[in-house]
Amino acid sequence: GVLAPVHLPTPPHASPHLPISLQDSVYISSFLDAAPLQAMLLDERLRRLLCMRSRVKEVSEASSMCEAVRSLAGAERMSSGGEGMVVFDVCSGKGLGATLLSFLLPRGRVVMLDSNGGMDLSHLRARPNLSFRHVDLFSADTPAVLREEAAGASYVVAVGMHLCGALSPRLIDLAVAGGTIDAMALCPCCLKGAHGKAVARSAAERSVEPYAVLVETLQAICEREIETAAAGGGARSRVGVWTDREMLSPKNRYITVQKWAADKAAPDVALCQACA
């Protein structure tokens, strides 16, 4: 149906930034009622992030990222405002998701990672706990960049929203094989090349959606990486897969990895009601 504009208690030029029906997503209705929106609308640098045509979908994806990080971090870390946490927003783009994470974790740090160093990132100056690193994820220097940015952190999360092609397996490798990242939330978009063709063939043979096979394939890659890391004496890890039904995208499944020390109990994961 036609989306009705929402009239927010903000200056007249601000309300058209979110023309959305409140029934579309819990994430959208929550965002409209939350303090970060008001802060963003009142700061021109942040308001620009809400000017893209796909802003409603982008807000739902950014809110989903926040929910993924919240469930991986756990209640105790969240109650402290994310104190001691570092979150990497991998292939962040301009970083609407990272910006919302900076509000969610006021005592943590959020680091945007992207290969595009020419973006307008003036909004970073409005968020003191938000920063950007110009990084090619496939570079041999990337593990060192992650270690540098995570120095002194007590808990490190990497989140990747709608990564394409080989970026998803690369994030899995960095998260599982490296020693810097404690937890990962990956919401993939697609695979390309030989992997992508294999996924398409398998989906056609089984008469299932290619996206379901994509998620299965990435889950299997995670499990193999974890077995290899464990054989080498690495931290204990587990893989999870869940669907976020409130995200306004058909590509709404997460593969998560959590690590914990051998002498510790496995951490709990508290998902929202929309996620299972």
Side-chain angles (χ1 to χ4, degrees):
V2 177
L3 298 179
V6 169
H7 299 290
L8 301 171
T10 53
H13 67 276
S15 58
H17 286 294
L18 286 169
I20 179 66
S21 165
L22 295 180
Q23 284 73 42
D24 276 346
S25 169
V26 168
Y27 289 146
I28 301 302
S29 58
S30 297
F31 180 70
L32 290 170
D33 290 334
L37 173 61
Q38 301 307 316
M40 293 177 73
L41 291 174
L42 292 172
D43 190 312
E44 177 61 31
R45 298 166 297 182
L46 295 172
R47 190 165 63 241
R48 292 194 193 106
L49 292 173
L50 300 175
C51 290
M52 75 280 283
R53 289 188 177 183
S54 60
R55 53 194 172 268
V56 172
K57 174 176 175 288
E58 298 282 345
V59 165
S60 82
E61 292 170 356
S63 299
S64 178
M65 285 174 57
C66 289
E67 184 58 40
V69 171
R70 188 199 311 272
S71 49
L72 289 171
E76 184 175 347
R77 292 188 185 92
M78 294 307 304
S79 67
S80 72
E83 184 174 6
M85 285 184 62
V86 168
V87 178
F88 292 113
D89 181 3
V90 179
C91 302
S92 63
K94 288 188 176 181
L96 176 57
T99 300
L100 293 192
L101 283 167
S102 76
F103 283 100
L104 179 69
L105 305 168
R107 301 181 69 181
R109 291 197 304 113
V110 182
V111 182
M112 299 161 51
L113 305 176
D114 203 277
S115 62
N116 182 358
M119 298 180 287
D120 177 6
L121 298 175
S122 56
H123 59 283
L124 268 63
R125 292 193 290 273
R127 301 300 304 156
N129 62 337
L130 180 61
S131 61
F132 174 81
R133 289 295 297 262
H134 184 198
V135 172
D136 176 356
L137 209 62
F138 297 99
S139 169
D141 296 330
T142 299
V145 171
L146 298 179
R147 287 193 298 271
E148 177 185 339
E149 291 292 341
S154 60
Y155 194 69
V156 180
V157 180
V159 59
M161 174 58 68
H162 291 162
L163 301 193
C164 292
L167 289 167
S168 289
R170 175 56 171 164
L171 175 55
I172 291 170
D173 180 58
L174 290 169
V176 176
T180 301
I181 296 169
D182 299 302
M184 177 202 78
L186 166 63
C187 184
C189 175
C190 60
L191 282 178
K192 298 178 180 179
H195 275 304
K197 291 177 182 177
V199 165
R201 283 196 303 270
S202 178
E205 291 168 359
R206 296 163 53 189
S207 299
V208 298
E209 288 293 326
Y211 190 65
V213 180
L214 166 64
V215 172
E216 289 176 4
T217 300
L218 293 172
Q219 180 183 359
I221 291 173
C222 281
E223 290 167 348
R224 287 198 300 270
E225 291 267 8
I226 286 172
E227 288 179 7
T228 301
R236 298 168 67 191
S237 305
R238 71 177 173 201
V239 180
V241 176
W242 51 275
T243 302
D244 190 344
R245 297 179 181 85
E246 291 298 330
M247 192 198 306
L248 299 180
S249 170
K251 296 179 177 180
N252 60 351
R253 301 201 77 186
Y254 281 91
I255 301 104
T256 61
V257 172
Q258 287 181 290
K259 299 178 184 177
W260 66 96
D263 60 343
K264 302 290 185 182
D268 293 327
V269 179
L271 298 179
C272 67
Q273 292 183 352
C275 310

